[in-house]
């Protein structure tokens, strides 16, 4: 066999590997690369640190995956993070016990997600517009309520949620993993998950197959809102305060993670594992570049390049 | 006459399939050359080679006996080749004139401002050439399907086409609109344009074609004048074996009443009444837009019923959503199964189970083993041709897709099945199988309704045919009264003659 045959076989093999594991391979390459470049990178401490830093956006991305799978988008998640933080901390500062304040925080996202869902379905306004409006409304409310000032008066045990560890693993990391296990099960094992794919793949066919498409859509926005709130609580706990300007531009990081993970913005195609890897890919990149002392301005450029590359690879894979 | 286009020994290899195996095709100026074959025979691949959408792996293309190279759609257009696809490539928001001259609008002098008066004048001239006059200022989304097609043809003409390929141009046209299309084709012929006409409807081919070429499995099978062929020989060339009867009709005893519709109105449907019995295949004839699909959707709960009553097994029902209708035992196999029936990104088993996941739940989870066994069962009993039930539906042929949809409704335990255009886009050989399935369903006591625009099919398959015209039912024919003329008269709103009453 001539030499060319061998290389094309190797290429074929790589292609097949990539077909199967997709973006996971990219993450693996990234991990190997950074562990060569920096001795601090591949240490238990640092890896746990990456998961901790990524957990906030990764949790939101799990919910966003459902929304994008239906062909929608949720731009309000970043603002929800702030609003939830404010509501939760201010509730606690006015002496509400944590056991009530935390569910109240989750309710914020759930209720606003429900409202978004109603606008998207019953009033038939495109999700982009509804959630864009929700974004500025929530952000505005957070500033109005606090008059632009952070809320510091929180009970000391509140900070455990975001800063504590369980068997050396950061609590947000554990929560994130839990969220992904539940999200995976919901998406790939339950009737609801199947309906999400169906509605996103072909809404009219879904309706004619007997699926209540409105119900599915509303549920998806509730889920996205509630997970944004969960992240909002964790972030407030990490900062030990409610900050009206927290979560700024998170929606973009989250959408990037979902898209890098191979979910199609037109709906119907994508996986929850992909999103997890997508979020980690971006998280690892940021962390690695930090360790290498790359300036944050350069990092922004590189994250953008990675997003383009990931989507490009996905396009090539489909051909 | 000299040859306008000659494609010689064209070869196209896809991974694992030889899509075109030394296929030759020849077209003369001023002729209508029909290109026939089942799905996957290579017709569209051949046309894609011609349009520059894909590159051939071997063979030669000559235009007016000069060899040409076609690498891209732009080049193909420059050579005077025009394509009219089934789904039109028009910009709905732009006007008729803007669409016709899209990409080469007349400008004011050397500026880049469009010269609108000249634009409309030019568009009008081209439309006039086609014997059509309509407002060139109207946005395309306000036009009927037939008018859009005229715009599409005009668009091709504006680029001085000499070779015009039409892929299933009649798919969504009414009988009268088809007449207009044929008139246009004849006009183009007389001007020396060579036309490649692709259609599954054999009647049309006999009406408009001069010559025909049949492809099968990527190979050239036959080229001859239309006069040398008949319906039966055409089908045999296409299928590659003898089909004895196009429509395998079996006589069945009419059973008890299963569905009764009384004076139902809603949307375009106006005062429709009929009774469906077990063991019969009840047809709906009429022109596109006569309200047949609308009536089906009302019965299925997908469209709103404004008046009237529906009875299932003697009990009145009023489904307000497809879900309610499904739970009552009604299934609708929609027209255009690709857009309204199937989930292309889901696999076969997921498409089958989607309407009845409740039956497959184990706690909160879908029991995937049970799902697979259900899908396998239907896949083998309906003979869905696929390596595995995990195959994505987008990789299946039209016939197999239809079987997947049927499997879905059988799994919901539907007792009334409404088939809307069940064989559109399905090969002759597989059509036969679908007809046999319809018979089997009727035999097994299902209530079967078939809506079809294919008149021979309707007459061949059904026991009774109700005909609709402009939303109203104009008559119900018994099998002994069946004739094309009678259905057409009712479909165009004319009363039947005395002796038929």
């Amino acid at each position: 066999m001539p030499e060319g045959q061998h290389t094309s076989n190797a290429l074929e093999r790589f292609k097949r590997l990539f077909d199967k594991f997709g973006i996971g391979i990219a993450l693996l390459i990234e991990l190997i690369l950074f562990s060569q470049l920096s001795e601090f990178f591949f240490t238990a401490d640092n890896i746990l640190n990456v998961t901790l830093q990524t957990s906030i956006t990764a949790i939101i991305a799990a919910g966003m995956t459902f929304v994008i799978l239906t062909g929608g988008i949720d731009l309000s998640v970043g603002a929800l993070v702030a609003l939830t933080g404010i509501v939760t901390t201010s509730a606690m500062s006015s002496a509400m016990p944590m056991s009530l304040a935390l569910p109240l925080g989750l309710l914020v996202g759930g209720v606003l997600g429900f409202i978004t869902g109603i606008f998207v379905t019953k009033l038939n306004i495109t999700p982009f517009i509804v959630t864009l409006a929700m974004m500025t409304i929530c952000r505005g409310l957070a500033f109005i309520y606090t008059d632009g000032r952070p809320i510091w008066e929180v009970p000391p045990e509140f900070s455990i949620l975001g800063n504590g560890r369980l068997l050396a693993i950061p609590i947000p990391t554990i929560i994130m993993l839990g969220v992904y296990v539940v999200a995976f099960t919901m998406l790939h094992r339950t009737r609801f998950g199947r309906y999400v794919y169906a509605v996103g793949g072909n809404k009219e066919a879904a309706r004619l197959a007997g699926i209540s498409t409105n119900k599915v859509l509303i549920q998806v926005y509730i889920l996205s809102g509630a997970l944004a709130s969960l992240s909002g609580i964790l972030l407030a706990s990490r900062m030990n305060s409610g900050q009206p300007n927290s979560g700024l531009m998170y929606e973009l990081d989250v959408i990037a993670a979902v898209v890098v993970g191979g979910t199609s913005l037109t709906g119907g195609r994508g996986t929850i594992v992909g999103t997890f890897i997508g979020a980690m890919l971006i998280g690892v990149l940021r962390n690695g570049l930090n360790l290498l002392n790359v300036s944050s301005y350069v990092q922004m450029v590189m994250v953008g390049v990675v997003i383009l590359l990931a989507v490009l690879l996905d396009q090539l894979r489909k051909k | 006459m000299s040859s306008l286009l000659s494609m010689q020994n064209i070869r196209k290899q896809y991974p694992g399939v030889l899509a075109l195996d030394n296929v030759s095709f020849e077209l003369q100026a001023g002729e209508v050359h029909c290109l026939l074959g089942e799905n996957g025979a290579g017709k569209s691949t051949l046309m894609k080679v011609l349009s520059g959408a894909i590159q051939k792996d071997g063979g030669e293309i000559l235009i007016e006996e000069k060899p040409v190279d076609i690498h891209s759609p732009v080049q193909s257009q420059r050579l005077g080749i025009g394509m009219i696809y089934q789904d039109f490539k028009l910009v709905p928001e732009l006007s008729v004139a803007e669409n016709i001259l899209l990409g080469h609008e007349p400008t004011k002098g050397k500026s880049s401002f469009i010269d609108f008066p000249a634009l409309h004048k030019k568009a009008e001239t081209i439309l006039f050439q086609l014997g059509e006059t309509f407002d060139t200022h109207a946005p395309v989304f306000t036009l009927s399907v037939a008018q859009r097609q005229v715009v599409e043809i005009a668009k091709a003409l504006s680029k001085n086409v000499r070779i015009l390929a039409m892929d299933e141009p009649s798919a969504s046209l009414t009988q009268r609109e088809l007449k207009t299309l044929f008139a246009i084709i004849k006009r183009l012929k007389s001007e020396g344009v060579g036309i490649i006409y692709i259609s599954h409807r054999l009647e049309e081919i006999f009406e408009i074609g001069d010559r025909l070429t049949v492809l099968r499995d990527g190979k050239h099978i036959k080229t001859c004048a239309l006069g040398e062929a008949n319906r039966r020989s055409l089908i045999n060339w296409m299928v590659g074996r003898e089909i004895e009867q196009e429509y395998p009709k079996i006589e069945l005893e009419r059973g008890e009443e299963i569905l009764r519709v009384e004076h139902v109105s809603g949307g375009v449907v106006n005062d429709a009444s009929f009774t469906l019995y077990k063991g019969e295949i009840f047809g709906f004839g009429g022109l596109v837009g006569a309200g047949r699909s609308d009536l089906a959707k009302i019965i299925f709960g997908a469209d709103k019923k404004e008046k009237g009553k529906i009875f299932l097994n003697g009990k009145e029902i009023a489904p307000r959503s497809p879900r309610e209708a499904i739970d009552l035992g009604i299934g609708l196999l929609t027209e255009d199964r690709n857009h309204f029936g199937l989930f292309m990104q889901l696999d076969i088993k997921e498409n089958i189970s989607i309407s009845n996941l409740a039956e497959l739940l184990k706690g909160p989870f879908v029991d995937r083993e049970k799902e697979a066994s259900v899908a396998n069962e239907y896949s083998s009993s309906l003979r869905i041709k696929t390596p595995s039930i995990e195959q994505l539906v987008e990789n299946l042929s039209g016939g197999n897709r239809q079987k997947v949809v049927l499997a879905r409704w059988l799994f919901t335990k539907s007792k009334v099945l409404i088939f809307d255009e069940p064989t559109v886009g399905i090969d002759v050989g597989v059509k036969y199988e679908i007809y046999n399935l319809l018979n089997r369903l009727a035999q097994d006591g299902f209530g079967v309704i078939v809506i079809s625009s294919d008149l021979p099919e309707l007459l061949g398959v059904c026991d009774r045919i109700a005909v609709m015209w402009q939303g109203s039912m104009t008559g119900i024919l018994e099998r002994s009264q069946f004739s094309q003329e009678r259905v057409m008269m009712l479909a165009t709103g004319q009363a039947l003659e005395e002796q038929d009453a």
Side-chain angles (χ1 to χ4, degrees):
Chain A
M1 279 279 139
E3 185 71 356
Q5 195 69 37
H6 283 286
T7 50
S8 89
N9 270 350
L11 245 168
E12 272 295 297
R13 225 173 301 145
F14 180 77
K15 207 180 157 282
R16 234 174 297 140
L17 217 63
F18 195 82
D19 269 355
K20 208 162 164 199
F21 300 103
I23 206 72
I25 306 250
L27 178 61
L28 202 68
I29 294 171
E30 198 185 43
L31 288 172
I32 294 169
L33 206 69
F34 279 127
S35 48
Q36 296 303 313
L37 292 173
S38 163
E39 52 181 320
F40 303 110
F41 177 76
F42 209 75
T43 57
D45 256 4
N46 188 51
I47 295 297
L48 287 176
N49 192 24
V50 174
T51 61
L52 172 63
Q53 284 165 353
T54 317
S55 60
I56 305 283
T57 48
I59 288 170
I60 309 174
M64 185 71 81
T65 306
F66 284 80
V67 172
I68 292 183
L69 275 173
T70 65
I73 194 96
D74 189 349
L75 299 175
S76 67
V77 289
L80 269 176
V81 165
L83 187 61
T84 304
I86 298 297
V87 169
T88 312
T89 51
S90 83
M92 287 186 298
S93 73
S94 41
M96 187 188 273
M98 228 169 87
S99 56
L100 281 180
L102 299 188
L104 178 71
L106 290 180
L107 207 61
V108 171
V111 169
L112 286 166
F114 176 75
I115 295 171
T116 298
I118 293 293
F119 272 94
V120 168
T121 54
K122 302 276 187 281
L123 305 172
N124 204 17
I125 305 174
T126 51
F128 188 95
I129 302 297
V130 177
T131 59
L132 183 68
M134 278 295 178
M135 172 175 98
T136 67
I137 290 170
C138 292
R139 182 68 67 187
L141 287 176
F143 276 108
I144 292 170
Y145 187 79
T146 59
D147 210 7
R149 284 186 292 268
I151 297 172
W152 293 106
E153 304 81 16
V154 292
E157 62 273 20
F158 177 57
S159 81
I160 296 172
L161 212 49
N163 300 300
R165 292 190 177 230
L166 208 74
L167 302 168
I169 304 172
I171 290 174
T173 299
I174 295 170
I175 292 179
M176 170 185 73
L177 291 175
V179 163
Y180 271 86
V181 169
V182 173
F184 177 89
T185 320
M186 270 170 81
L187 189 57
H188 299 291
R189 296 285 182 273
T190 69
R191 178 160 54 162
F192 169 67
R194 198 64 70 73
Y195 285 179
V196 167
Y197 279 105
V199 170
N202 191 337
K203 196 172 162 201
E204 182 61 10
R207 186 176 83 95
L208 293 173
I211 297 171
S212 169
T213 54
N214 284 354
K215 197 168 129 198
V216 173
L217 288 172
I218 291 171
Q219 285 170 335
V220 154
Y221 286 99
I222 292 176
L223 183 67
S224 171
L227 285 176
S229 284
L230 177 58
S231 278
I233 293 170
L234 289 176
L235 187 63
S237 162
R238 283 198 70 192
M239 298 186 301
N240 219 2
S241 60
Q243 309 266 358
N245 60 353
S246 67
L248 218 52
M249 307 281 263
Y250 273 24
E251 56 280 354
L252 300 184
D253 277 359
V254 166
I255 294 167
V258 176
V259 170
V260 167
T263 298
S264 151
L265 279 178
T266 50
R269 255 180 243 266
T271 60
I272 204 78
V273 176
T275 298
F276 182 73
I277 297 173
M280 285 304 145
L281 190 90
I282 296 174
V284 166
L285 183 68
R286 287 229 165 90
N287 172 269
L289 294 174
N290 274 335
L291 289 179
L292 297 176
N293 256 331
V294 177
S295 88
S296 64
Y297 304 146
V298 177
Q299 285 190 25
M300 288 162 90
V301 175
M302 296 201 61
V303 169
V305 170
V306 164
I307 293 172
L308 281 178
L309 277 179
V311 177
L312 191 71
L313 271 176
D314 206 48
Q315 284 293 330
L316 292 176
R317 191 158 64 109
K318 277 187 206 129
K319 278 187 184 161
Chain B
M1 219 188 273
S2 70
S3 125
L4 175 61
L5 166 75
S6 172
M7 303 178 81
Q8 294 172 355
N9 304 317
I10 304 292
R11 217 173 60 82
K12 178 69 196 178
Q13 174 88 50
Y14 283 122
V17 214
L18 190 55
L20 291 175
D21 184 359
N22 288 316
V23 171
S24 295
F25 180 81
E26 197 256 324
L27 179 70
Q28 291 178 352
E31 79 162 339
V32 176
H33 195 147
C34 299
L35 189 55
L36 293 156
E38 303 200 306
N39 293 321
K43 294 169 302 188
S44 7
T45 313
L46 190 67
M47 289 304 105
K48 278 182 192 161
V49 168
L50 184 63
S51 72
I54 58 172
Q55 311 299 312
K56 60 184 172 2
D57 295 326
E60 244 194 318
I61 302 177
L62 294 95
I63 288 181
E64 285 171 342
E65 279 150 33
K66 283 194 281 290
V68 291
D69 245 340
I70 303 177
H71 300 300
S72 71
V74 174
Q75 214 172 8
S76 165
Q77 285 177 15
R78 283 212 192 108
L79 289 165
I81 298 166
M83 295 273 158
I84 292 175
Y85 297 99
Q86 232 170 313
D87 45 340
F88 305 142
K89 313 268 187 255
L90 297 174
V91 188
E93 301 294 326
L94 293 183
S95 72
V96 169
E98 285 166 313
N99 267 287
I100 291 176
L101 293 160
L102 195 67
H104 48 122
E105 300 84 355
T107 54
K108 287 180 184 155
K110 293 248 179 248
S111 73
S112 55
F113 292 101
I114 295 173
D115 182 351
F116 279 102
L119 178 83
H120 286 284
K121 196 146 192 209
K122 224 168 152 183
E124 272 164 28
T125 317
I126 297 168
L127 285 173
F128 185 73
Q129 237 182 308
L130 295 172
E132 292 285 319
T133 46
F134 49 83
D135 184 9
T136 56
H137 293 84
V140 158
F141 72 84
T142 61
L143 304 184
S144 72
V145 179
Q147 286 173 322
R148 283 178 208 203
Q149 190 168 47
V150 173
V151 172
E152 190 79 46
I153 295 172
K155 196 173 150 189
L157 288 185
S158 77
K159 294 170 190 153
N160 298 317
V161 287
R162 292 176 293 166
I163 299 161
L164 186 61
M166 307 174 110
D167 190 0
E168 297 267 355
S170 58
S172 37
L173 297 190
T174 64
Q175 212 65 27
R176 194 181 323 140
E177 291 166 336
L178 190 62
K179 289 245 151 44
T180 316
L181 175 68
F182 283 176
I184 290 174
I185 290 178
K186 284 185 184 133
R187 212 180 261 254
L188 292 173
K189 263 175 70 169
S190 69
E191 284 165 22
V193 177
I195 291 163
I196 305 169
Y197 192 93
I198 301 175
S199 176
H200 275 103
R201 297 193 188 164
L202 300 184
E203 312 88 81
E204 282 170 23
I205 286 164
F206 283 104
E207 196 175 333
I208 196 75
D210 298 310
R211 275 200 301 164
L212 66 95
T213 289
V214 179
L215 303 183
R216 187 172 74 231
D217 300 330
K219 291 191 184 65
H220 178 266
I221 299 298
K222 180 91 186 168
T223 294
C224 67
L226 244 304
E228 295 166 38
N230 59 38
R231 210 182 156 85
R232 188 152 173 185
S233 61
L234 273 186
I235 290 173
N236 290 344
W237 290 329
M238 277 167 26
V239 182
R241 60 189 149 85
E242 287 277 321
I243 287 204
E244 301 179 2
Q245 256 181 306
E246 238 179 295
Y247 305 106
K249 184 73 197 151
I250 50 171
E251 295 298 325
L252 285 172
E253 194 82 353
R254 188 181 289 178
E256 59 202 84
E257 170 191 316
I258 181 161
L259 182 78
R260 191 166 79 241
V261 169
E262 282 182 358
H263 307 294
V264 163
S265 301
V268 298
V269 178
N270 179 22
D271 194 25
S273 301
F274 70 94
T275 307
L276 172 71
Y277 299 94
K278 284 184 184 173
E280 73 168 340
I281 299 177
F282 189 82
F284 270 93
L287 304 175
V288 173
R292 298 169 300 168
S293 305
D294 307 72
L295 177 57
K297 279 188 164 176
I298 291 174
I299 297 169
F300 186 59
D303 280 357
K304 234 181 120 182
K305 183 182 74 181
E306 283 152 19
K307 268 191 239 143
K309 288 179 176 170
I310 302 170
F311 298 87
L312 185 69
N313 293 318
K315 274 215 322 247
E316 186 174 353
I317 58 166
R320 282 162 304 163
S321 70
R323 181 78 262 161
E324 288 184 22
I326 293 166
D327 292 339
L328 288 163
I330 301 173
L332 170 64
L333 290 84
T334 56
E335 64 179 326
D336 196 348
R337 66 192 84 88
N338 297 339
H339 286 109
F340 304 125
L342 292 162
F343 306 98
M344 294 295 168
Q345 304 101 322
L346 296 183
D347 64 21
I348 293 176
K349 65 172 166 27
E350 291 165 336
N351 267 286
I352 291 175
S353 64
I354 193 80
S355 290
N356 195 13
L357 284 171
E359 177 123 351
L360 295 172
L361 288 186
K362 200 160 81 181
F365 303 119
V366 175
D367 182 343
R368 295 196 298 164
E369 268 170 48
K370 199 168 158 199
E371 181 180 37
S373 80
V374 164
N376 273 319
E377 212 173 282
Y378 284 111
S379 177
S380 62
S381 74
L382 298 177
R383 298 203 290 140
I384 298 173
K385 268 188 220 120
T386 172
S388 125
I389 52 162
E390 255 117 57
Q391 182 76 248
L392 293 187
V393 164
E394 64 186 354
N395 299 327
L396 298 181
S397 69
N400 285 312
R401 288 180 184 179
Q402 185 65 288
K403 289 180 186 175
V404 170
V405 182
L406 177 56
R408 178 193 300 166
W409 295 113
L410 293 178
F411 180 52
T412 62
K413 311 284 179 280
S414 296
K415 291 312 275 176
V416 173
L417 289 170
I418 308 173
F419 293 80
D420 197 349
E421 304 288 0
T423 62
V424 165
I426 291 179
D427 294 337
V428 181
V430 185
K431 273 187 188 176
Y432 188 81
E433 248 184 278
I434 299 278
Y435 299 143
N436 272 326
L437 282 172
L438 291 174
N439 284 336
R440 211 169 88 198
L441 292 171
Q443 215 163 8
D444 291 348
F446 287 87
V448 181
I449 295 176
V450 173
I451 301 171
S452 176
S453 296
D454 183 340
L455 208 44
E457 167 176 292
L458 211 52
L459 296 169
V461 168
C462 300
D463 296 287
R464 289 188 298 154
I465 298 174
V467 185
M468 291 183 78
W469 170 69
Q470 294 188 353
S472 300
M473 287 183 57
T474 44
I476 296 179
L477 299 171
E478 296 285 333
R479 197 162 170 82
S480 59
Q481 303 170 293
F482 280 9
S483 79
Q484 297 222 10
E485 292 71 36
R486 285 195 188 121
V487 176
M488 278 321 294
M489 282 181 81
L490 291 171
T492 48
Q494 303 167 59
L496 291 182
E497 324 217 326
E498 291 295 298
Q499 71 256 31
D500 288 337

